[in-house]
Amino acid sequence: MKISYNWLKQYVNTDLSADALAEILTETGLEVDGIEKIESIKGGLEGVVVGEVLTCDQHPDADKLKVTTVTFGGEPVQIVCGAPNVAAGQKVIVATVGCTLYPKPDEAFKIKLSKIRGVESAGMLCAEDELGMGVSHDGILVLPTDTIVGTTAAEYFELEDDYQIEIGLTPNRSDALGHIGVARDLIAYLNVHENKDLKIQFPTVELPAKKSDKVTVTIEIEEPELCPRYAGISVENVKVEASPAWLQKRLRAVGLSPINNVVDCTNFVMRELGTPLHAFDAAKLNGKIVVRNAKENDLFTTLDGVERKLNSSNLMITNGTENLAIAGVFGGLDSGISNETTSIFIESAYFNPVSVRKTAKQFGLNTDASFRYERGVDPALTVVALKRVTALIQEIAGGDIAMDLVDVYPTKIENKQFDFDVKRCNQLIGMEIPTETIEAILINLDIQILAKNDFVWTLEVPAYRVDVIREVDVIEEILRIYGFNKVPLPDKLNTSLSHSSKPNLERIQRSLSELLVGLGFSEMMNNSLTNSNYVEKLGGETLKNEHDVKMLNPLSADLDVMRQSMIFSSLEAVSHNRNRQNPDLKLFEFGKTYQKVGEKYLENKRLILTITGSKQQEQWNSSKDKTSFYTLKGIVTAFISRLGLTSLWNEKPMENSVLEDGIDAFVLKQHVGQLGWISTETKKAFGLKQDVYIADLDWDALLNALKLNKVQYKEIPKTFESRRDFSLLLNKAVTFKSIEDAAKKCDKKILRNVQLFDVYEGEKLEEGKKSYAVSFHFQDAQNTLKDEQVDQVMEKIRKELEGQLGAELR
């Protein structure tokens, strides 16, 4: 939020510099993000002074030029001037040699010693537009005869530099949404720390007398919960035109562009008091204001010219038949103030913050009004702000009050009352603050002390402090004014030793992340919010929209549910990188998925690995092999080995999945994930052409499986390993997994490993057949194996493969 240094000083009698003021605001919790100097005229007219024309003669070689002699406090100088109105004896504005003028903010013009048609000229007599003060170029500025020569132009025109102070306002500090709120904190600090007796120099608020009832407007609230208070008044015979310079200057100082005098007055009071206001063209109201919800699918065009589709939860300002404005968010195009407007109706209201926030998010709008309403404005200032803006409009735009002020306030929003313990305050802060200081802070923050019972006080907190609802909130208020930096650090620090659980889950995750990074992976972090259309169109039999955890107030249609699977968000990352010329990817993410099953909400931490493109980065000596399912499986195997779960790991052909095909992974009988690749339909949905391989692992289940893992140490075998090979002719449907299981079923003592080292499918084989070359590795840790022992096991394996799988030895 932006505030003006000069504007703020209208309410606080202080000579603090902008930097000192910003430091105080930061200490009180209104953290200043930056300060920017604002010059009323760029360059500040430095080097421009008041001069007097001593002589004025015709240029010898130009009919439209004059040669003048000008003094501005020193030796007279010669200046050639082309203005038709220049004459001897005039007091004028002189730009001296070396100064820089800015006719436009982005156009610099430096004054140099020059010759014009052969005559030397040491400066320039200035017109209004050359100074950047207007658009007139009819002639030079001629000042009153009593103007003192040598006076700087900045002093003569009373130029006032300002400072724009940017405050990083936190959502809870709705009380500081205007200059008055900021001034309140500043005064509280100065009164407490510098023993001053400052008061907010609040502008006088007096409603002008009513002249007639010609523009009477009735007000009806159909949704009092969404609009607890609505006040209004009408003014006729206003003249809509540009605002005076002082008002335009104030608005520009806080980053607003002037529009017209009526709208500018509403914006000025909003930035002054923090209460949004809106002005309607009274001719569009039909004598009535009705605050009600919109009808489903109504269309409404806002001030920005955008047609928006409404729903029944949108609170609207209407004239009984037509929508005029989205309450607390944005006005309508047809009911706004134009140059032809002569009668206006001014709205000042208090709208439900939640309702305004939902509507603003729904339409993607963030207006000055919604910014304030959704944080909670002061309901007590509704009428005060209305009177203030009405008087200001009548002063600037003229007009007459054309109805009595109407204030519809069915149920008053009361101030909050609760007890406050001074001793508990000091205990929580960690030091003893004098009771007098605490009382002074509370009074300066508009918190009334209704009663004192020893150290327990009964307090009344104003309704505009929406964030102060309990004793600890008051303690925070006291501390921020007293000063966090004044709380001393203790001489010693007490702490308790904590016992970390075993295994250390964070350490395990970090270790495996480092393993993956070492294998060339990059960690990604995706949003837990996603698009419900992914599940609807690509979820298959596994994911259903009925299990979505839906957002009550989605930021957009693309982020309307919590993700049920991490696969879709990982594919978004792949697509994003692929569209930016980065096709070779190895990505991983630790994250959570969310589901609603019946009335229960389920949360599951998972790990997803995603690979696509080339195996290696393109280099002159690297292979151009693409990643495959087996690339992914090898990485997962290394991952599982690091966890120590290799002996418990087993796989089965995939049954149901978002993936097109692959394997289901188990630790013993516990399902822990899936490895596979995405379908052509899924690739098309994400704009991908290359294959993408994904391992979707249940991280919670894997960590739970660590309890089954027992670390055992074995002596390194002293004997040699023996190897035997089979070349098998098999049906194409037979998997290597079934061969491995059959072999291990035949022997569990000396058979150490089974590996597939060659696959052949071709014309030389029967249709529906394939050839596998499989190696079997044997070893006895204590004794050297004899051929007879190995042959006996191999014979058992042959019979098992022939009987169970229909294998034939080639």
Side-chain angles (χ1 to χ4, degrees):
M1 188 190 75
K2 297 173 182 177
I3 63 170
S4 159
Y5 170 70
N6 290 336
W7 193 349
L8 183 63
K9 289 208 301 178
Q10 286 188 341
Y11 313 117
V12 184
N13 183 18
T14 179
D15 56 359
L16 286 171
S17 67
D19 288 332
L21 188 147
E23 187 176 339
I24 291 175
L25 294 179
T26 298
E27 285 190 26
T28 61
L30 298 176
E31 186 172 357
V32 174
D33 292 335
I35 303 176
E36 180 183 350
K37 185 176 181 180
I38 300 175
E39 297 175 323
S40 53
I41 296 177
K42 190 169 182 180
L45 297 184
E46 186 175 352
V48 183
V49 296
V50 174
E52 182 177 2
V53 181
L54 301 178
T55 64
C56 180
D57 301 316
Q58 186 65 44
H59 192 290
D61 294 322
D63 294 339
K64 294 184 178 182
L65 297 180
K66 301 290 179 63
V67 180
T68 66
T69 304
V70 181
T71 180
F72 40 85
E75 290 292 325
V77 297
Q78 181 175 276
I79 298 176
V80 177
C81 179
N85 63 331
V86 64
Q90 292 175 335
K91 299 291 179 67
V92 295
I93 297 294
V94 183
T96 60
V97 173
C99 78
T100 301
L101 300 179
Y102 293 87
K104 295 181 179 179
D106 56 348
E107 294 181 7
F109 177 63
K110 188 169 184 178
I111 305 299
K112 300 177 181 178
L113 182 65
S114 61
K115 283 189 176 182
I116 301 177
R117 292 287 185 93
V119 178
E120 187 176 271
S121 180
M124 184 173 79
L125 306 185
C126 299
E128 178 183 292
D129 64 331
E130 292 165 334
L131 295 173
M133 298 180 66
V135 295
S136 174
H137 195 71
D138 295 336
I140 60 173
L141 286 172
V142 179
L143 309 181
T145 55
D146 59 351
T147 306
I148 299 174
V149 173
T151 304
T152 65
E155 182 182 352
Y156 176 79
F157 291 114
E158 298 180 350
L159 297 187
E160 181 185 56
D161 289 341
D162 200 355
Y163 294 89
Q164 186 183 89
I165 301 174
E166 180 84 28
I167 296 177
L169 195 67
T170 52
N172 63 308
R173 291 302 308 278
S174 60
D175 61 295
L177 288 168
H179 284 72
I180 291 293
V182 176
R184 185 187 299 112
D185 272 13
L186 180 61
I187 286 175
Y189 183 93
L190 294 175
N191 286 347
V192 170
H193 292 275
E194 299 184 12
N195 295 320
K196 295 183 179 294
D197 187 25
L198 298 174
K199 303 290 183 185
I200 293 180
Q201 297 176 3
F202 200 84
T204 303
V205 179
E206 291 184 7
L207 189 65
K210 182 181 70 171
K211 291 293 182 70
S212 71
D213 291 309
K214 293 180 180 178
V215 194
T216 298
V217 177
T218 62
I219 298 174
E220 180 184 345
I221 302 175
E222 292 187 4
E223 300 289 341
E225 290 186 2
L226 303 182
C227 179
R229 188 175 193 182
Y230 192 101
I233 195 170
S234 59
V235 183
E236 63 177 343
N237 302 323
V238 297
K239 184 179 181 181
V240 179
E241 58 186 2
S243 297
W246 71 265
L247 181 53
Q248 294 191 35
K249 184 188 298 184
R250 285 286 180 255
L251 295 179
R252 287 195 178 99
V254 293
L256 295 179
S257 298
I259 298 173
N260 58 54
N261 49 7
V262 174
V263 176
D264 291 349
C265 285
T266 62
N267 285 333
F268 176 85
V269 175
M270 175 180 66
R271 291 303 184 108
E272 179 182 62
L273 301 178
T275 300
L277 299 146
H278 188 72
F280 296 95
D281 187 331
K284 306 296 177 66
L285 303 188
N286 298 328
K288 182 188 293 186
I289 285 287
V290 180
V291 185
R292 68 186 184 194
N293 282 339
K295 295 178 181 178
E296 196 71 26
N297 297 324
D298 266 1
L299 297 177
F300 178 65
T301 303
T302 45
L303 279 169
D304 55 0
V306 177
E307 186 177 69
R308 305 177 189 275
K309 182 180 287 189
L310 308 174
N311 62 43
S312 57
S313 67
N314 301 140
L315 188 67
M316 304 297 294
I317 309 301
T318 76
N319 62 7
T321 56
E322 300 172 309
N323 292 318
L324 303 174
I326 303 175
V329 180
F330 213 10
L333 183 63
D334 296 333
S335 62
I337 303 299
S338 67
N339 291 335
E340 289 72 39
T341 300
T342 57
S343 297
I344 64 173
F345 176 80
I346 310 169
E347 163 196 284
S348 181
Y350 177 85
F351 298 113
N352 181 282
V354 176
S355 172
V356 173
R357 186 183 304 117
K358 286 183 177 181
T359 302
K361 293 293 183 186
Q362 175 187 337
F363 295 116
L365 294 170
N366 183 22
T367 62
D368 273 343
S370 68
F371 179 81
R372 285 159 175 78
Y373 277 127
E374 65 188 33
R375 283 160 174 78
V377 299
D378 185 358
L381 280 181
T382 302
V383 170
V384 175
L386 184 59
K387 291 179 178 180
R388 166 72 166 149
V389 75
T390 303
L392 191 60
I393 287 174
Q394 192 177 45
E395 175 188 335
I396 292 174
D400 302 311
I401 307 299
M403 65 175 277
D404 289 321
L405 187 150
V406 178
D407 179 21
V408 181
Y409 198 5
T411 305
K412 184 179 179 182
I413 299 174
E414 300 290 347
N415 294 337
K416 294 155 287 195
Q417 294 185 11
F418 49 81
D419 289 340
F420 166 76
D421 191 324
V422 176
K423 288 186 176 180
R424 178 168 172 76
C425 172
N426 290 329
Q427 181 184 11
L428 286 179
I429 291 174
M431 66 174 293
E432 187 167 336
I433 300 176
T435 304
E436 297 79 10
T437 302
I438 293 175
E439 186 170 351
I441 292 173
L442 295 177
I443 292 172
N444 278 282
L445 292 178
D446 289 348
I447 298 176
Q448 296 185 40
I449 303 172
L450 301 179
K452 292 182 180 180
N453 184 9
D454 200 6
F455 290 100
V456 178
W457 301 349
T458 300
L459 305 181
E460 182 176 82
V461 179
Y464 67 78
R465 287 311 307 266
V466 295
D467 60 324
V468 182
I469 58 176
R470 52 187 178 163
E471 180 187 51
V472 71
D473 297 327
V474 176
I475 295 173
E476 181 184 356
E477 291 297 293
I478 292 168
L479 183 55
R480 71 179 183 83
I481 299 299
Y482 182 74
F484 288 94
N485 294 332
K486 295 185 71 173
V487 178
L489 292 174
D491 295 330
K492 62 178 182 177
L493 183 64
N494 297 327
T495 187
S496 299
L497 295 176
S498 60
H499 299 279
S500 60
S501 59
K502 300 293 184 180
N504 189 321
L505 303 184
E506 289 185 5
R507 186 174 181 181
I508 292 172
Q509 181 174 322
R510 184 169 60 250
S511 173
L512 293 174
S513 296
E514 291 170 354
L515 168 67
L516 291 171
V517 170
L519 292 172
F521 278 76
S522 297
E523 185 171 9
M524 57 181 170
M525 296 181 68
N526 290 306
N527 200 334
S528 294
L529 300 178
T530 189
N531 192 329
S532 58
N533 287 333
Y534 288 148
V535 169
E536 181 180 346
K537 297 178 181 179
L538 305 172
E541 297 298 322
T542 307
L543 305 177
K544 300 292 183 183
N545 281 117
E546 63 191 59
H547 299 310
D548 280 336
V549 179
K550 299 179 181 179
M551 304 303 296
L552 295 177
N553 185 24
L555 296 174
S556 70
D558 292 333
L559 299 172
D560 59 338
V561 296
M562 308 279 289
R563 61 183 177 187
Q564 288 192 53
S565 170
M566 294 170 62
I567 291 176
F568 304 124
S569 54
S570 71
L571 291 176
E572 285 180 340
V574 172
S575 177
H576 180 86
N577 280 273
R578 181 68 184 84
N579 292 338
R580 287 157 180 78
Q581 307 300 314
N582 188 21
D584 305 325
L585 299 168
K586 291 181 179 178
L587 305 172
F588 77 95
E589 179 184 9
F590 288 95
K592 291 184 177 181
T593 59
Y594 309 86
Q595 284 188 319
K596 182 182 181 184
V597 180
E599 296 300 318
K600 292 185 178 180
Y601 291 91
L602 305 180
E603 186 175 315
N604 179 215
K605 188 165 186 178
R606 303 189 72 83
L607 165 65
I608 192 164
L609 309 179
T610 306
I611 64 172
T612 185
S614 300
K615 282 185 180 180
Q616 296 178 319
Q617 188 177 16
E618 185 178 13
Q619 293 181 357
W620 68 272
N621 62 345
S622 64
S623 71
K624 296 183 180 180
D625 294 342
K626 298 294 185 182
T627 55
S628 67
F629 171 76
Y630 296 101
T631 309
L632 178 66
K633 188 178 178 184
I635 293 167
V636 173
T637 299
F639 187 90
I640 295 302
S641 176
R642 174 65 69 88
L643 287 173
L645 298 175
T646 303
S647 61
L648 307 176
W649 181 266
N650 58 89
E651 302 156 358
K652 292 181 181 179
M654 184 181 291
E655 294 183 1
N656 295 315
S657 176
V658 175
L659 303 174
E660 182 177 50
D661 202 358
I663 59 174
D664 283 309
F666 297 83
V667 173
L668 294 181
K669 295 182 179 181
Q670 173 66 46
H671 186 263
V672 294
Q674 295 179 323
L675 288 71
W677 54 91
I678 64 173
S679 66
T680 303
E681 181 186 5
T682 303
K683 284 194 286 186
K684 185 177 179 181
F686 286 91
L688 300 171
K689 295 182 179 179
Q690 61 198 52
D691 291 328
V692 181
Y693 303 93
I694 291 176
D696 184 13
L697 303 175
D698 187 335
W699 183 242
D700 286 335
L702 287 172
L703 291 178
N704 192 53
L706 292 178
K707 299 174 183 178
L708 305 174
N709 179 34
K710 294 183 180 180
V711 179
Q712 294 181 337
Y713 298 92
K714 293 182 179 180
E715 185 179 356
I716 297 175
K718 299 176 181 179
T719 59
F720 294 104
E721 184 181 87
S722 178
R723 167 177 167 164
R724 300 292 171 85
D725 297 341
F726 274 165
S727 179
L728 301 171
L729 186 64
L730 303 155
N731 293 326
K732 282 190 175 182
V734 177
T735 64
F736 169 70
K737 177 66 175 172
S738 59
I739 297 173
E740 184 180 27
D741 291 343
K744 290 184 176 180
K745 182 179 178 182
C746 296
D747 183 84
K748 296 182 180 180
K749 292 183 179 181
I750 62 174
L751 181 60
R752 292 288 179 260
N753 195 15
V754 183
Q755 290 184 329
L756 175 66
F757 65 89
D758 191 29
V759 178
Y760 175 74
E761 296 180 35
E763 298 177 356
K764 296 180 181 180
L765 298 180
E766 298 176 31
E767 187 177 349
K769 296 287 186 178
K770 62 183 177 181
S771 175
Y772 273 4
V774 183
S775 63
F776 302 86
H777 302 261
F778 301 89
Q779 188 175 40
D780 187 326
Q782 301 299 325
N783 302 307
T784 302
L785 291 174
K786 295 179 180 181
D787 289 340
E788 293 81 4
Q789 291 176 274
V790 176
D791 291 343
Q792 287 178 8
V793 177
M794 287 297 292
E795 181 63 19
K796 289 182 181 180
I797 293 173
R798 182 187 65 79
K799 291 180 179 180
E800 185 70 20
L801 294 177
E802 289 176 350
Q804 296 296 324
L805 305 178
E808 299 177 28
L809 289 180
R810 295 186 67 194

